[in-house]
Amino acid sequence: MLDELIDQLGNATFENYVGLESGYTEMAFQLSAHVLTLGYAVMLAGLLYFVLTIKTVKPKYRISSVLSVVVMVSAFLLLLIQQQNWLNAFEYDTETARYMLEGSEALFNNGFRYLNWLIDVPMLLFQILFVVTLTTSSFSSVRNQFWFSGTAMILTGYAGQYYEVTNPTLFFVWGVISTIFFFHILYLMKKVIDEGKEGAPEGAQKYLGSIWILFFLSWMLYPGAYLMPYLFGMLGGLGLEAALSEAAVVARHMTYTVADVSSKVIYGIFLTLAAQEMSKAEGYNWEEMESSL
């Protein structure tokens, strides 16, 4: 059965194999659609937050908020396209009462997420450099390492996702290469946060500590989503119950969405709060300025 599906779909992502072999129940299809909708809607809400709070921090910290705005716009547009791609890839079959791939005009592709990350990941990593003060590391060196490892991580992950069904060996090889860059980013982020805490006001230190925990946990979700078909034991032949197959797809959508919201919106909010604390410690208190007007 798997060989027959491969002949029809080739390097399409796993979601299409489930859609062709068993299809999706109304609940699974709509739950995925709603989760994808929630993803881009939260990005739009985040955009409004970062625009409205940009003046609550000193001018020297505002580039972090500007980068958050860039991230929100990019994520909103590309996640909207991702959601539309999901809706257009499958058609409802009245005979089976399922959403099937057959007869659809386009395949579903997770590549839109990778395009979004290719823009957002460097911006997210650069953001913190405009909030903290590095005590021993070089700003330009850390920035360049963030850019190189972030870009390489996304590109190698993008290549690997096309082989998750047709060539598991290549899927894991590209995944391992991507993970090497991933761990380098975690190392750099921990180093930046530890240096940033030195000399920072107590309130800012608290937020920086929360940022590290959030960053570590949210970024660890991405490898889990990448491996989701294997975590569910999918690729032993795909001759599994439809509910189990579609569960892996829904779980992947949920995992990616939670990771995106956490690593972009909540991360950006924590950076804004840290910048506000630093601004207050340096004599810039927006609340007092507003009340005096």
Side-chain angles (χ1 to χ4, degrees), residues 212-244:
W212 166 244
I213 295 172
L214 173 72
F215 187 90
F216 180 82
L217 293 178
S218 61
W219 278 54
M220 288 300 293
L221 293 174
Y222 289 107
Y226 180 85
L227 294 170
M228 196 62 71
Y230 286 90
L231 294 178
F232 272 76
M234 290 285 104
L235 297 182
L238 289 178
L240 303 174
E241 294 182 6
L244 180 59

Side-chain angles (χ1 to χ4, degrees), residues 49-50 53 56-57 65 131 201 203-208 211 266-280:
Y49 171 85
F50 294 119
T53 59
T56 64
V57 300
S65 295
V131 174
Q205 290 185 28
K206 179 184 68 174
Y207 286 121
L208 289 173
I211 286 171
I266 301 177
Y267 168 77
I269 291 173
F270 278 172
L271 278 176
T272 299
L273 295 173
Q276 287 174 349
E277 292 294 329
M278 292 179 182
S279 297
K280 289 178 183 178

Side-chain angles (χ1 to χ4, degrees), residues 149-189:
S149 290
T151 302
M153 177 185 68
I154 300 305
L155 291 177
T156 50
Y158 177 82
Q161 53 127 9
Y162 283 103
Y163 299 103
E164 63 183 1
V165 176
T166 57
N167 193 328
T169 299
L170 280 178
F171 172 74
F172 281 105
V173 167
W174 283 115
V176 169
I177 296 173
S178 180
T179 302
I180 293 172
F181 296 112
F182 170 77
F183 281 121
H184 182 232
I185 291 171
L186 290 180
Y187 163 76
L188 283 177
M189 181 59 73

Side-chain angles (χ1 to χ4, degrees), residues 25-252:
T25 63
E26 177 72 12
M27 178 180 290
F29 180 81
Q30 296 298 344
L31 184 56
S32 293
H34 295 159
V35 167
L36 293 170
T37 301
L38 177 65
Y40 75 75
V42 173
M43 299 303 161
L44 183 58
L47 172 62
L48 294 176
Y49 171 85
F50 294 119
V51 169
L52 294 174
T53 59
I54 193 168
K55 290 186 177 181
T56 64
V57 300
K58 287 186 69 174
K60 72 175 185 178
Y61 297 123
R62 290 177 187 173
I63 190 64
S64 178
S65 295
V66 171
L67 291 175
S68 279
V69 169
V70 173
V71 168
M72 294 300 103
V73 172
S74 166
F76 169 74
L77 292 175
L78 285 168
L79 292 179
L80 173 60
I81 294 173
Q82 180 84 91
Q83 187 255 14
Q84 291 299 306
N85 181 213
W86 173 260
L87 294 177
N88 294 331
F90 307 99
E91 294 183 356
Y92 187 74
D93 183 358
T94 55
E95 293 184 4
T96 62
R98 289 178 176 273
Y99 288 85
M100 306 295 295
L101 183 66
E102 295 178 310
S104 300
E105 297 180 358
L107 297 178
F108 179 76
N109 192 329
N110 281 307
F112 292 110
R113 287 193 183 275
Y114 286 87
L115 292 177
N116 173 227
W117 297 331
L118 192 60
I119 298 171
D120 289 355
V121 165
M123 299 298 102
L124 291 168
L125 298 175
F126 293 165
Q127 275 184 264
I128 196 168
L129 298 179
F130 294 97
V131 174
V132 304
T133 298
L134 299 179
T135 55
T136 58
S137 301
S138 164
F139 177 95
S140 60
S141 175
V142 174
R143 179 198 61 200
N144 293 340
Q145 290 182 72
F146 269 151
W147 178 84
F148 177 79
S149 290
T151 302
M153 177 185 68
I154 300 305
L155 291 177
T156 50
Y158 177 82
Q161 53 127 9
Y162 283 103
Y163 299 103
E164 63 183 1
V165 176
T166 57
N167 193 328
T169 299
L170 280 178
F171 172 74
F172 281 105
V173 167
W174 283 115
V176 169
I177 296 173
S178 180
T179 302
I180 293 172
F181 296 112
F182 170 77
F183 281 121
H184 182 232
I185 291 171
L186 290 180
Y187 163 76
L188 283 177
M189 181 59 73
K190 184 66 166 64
K191 184 178 181 182
V192 166
I193 289 176
D194 287 344
E195 289 187 29
K197 285 182 177 180
E198 298 178 16
E202 184 177 349
Q205 290 185 28
K206 179 184 68 174
Y207 286 121
L208 289 173
S210 299
I211 286 171
W212 166 244
I213 295 172
L214 173 72
F215 187 90
F216 180 82
L217 293 178
S218 61
W219 278 54
M220 288 300 293
L221 293 174
Y222 289 107
Y226 180 85
L227 294 170
M228 196 62 71
Y230 286 90
L231 294 178
F232 272 76
M234 290 285 104
L235 297 182
L238 289 178
L240 303 174
E241 294 182 6
L244 180 59
S245 299
E246 66 187 15
V249 175
V250 174
R252 172 180 273 180

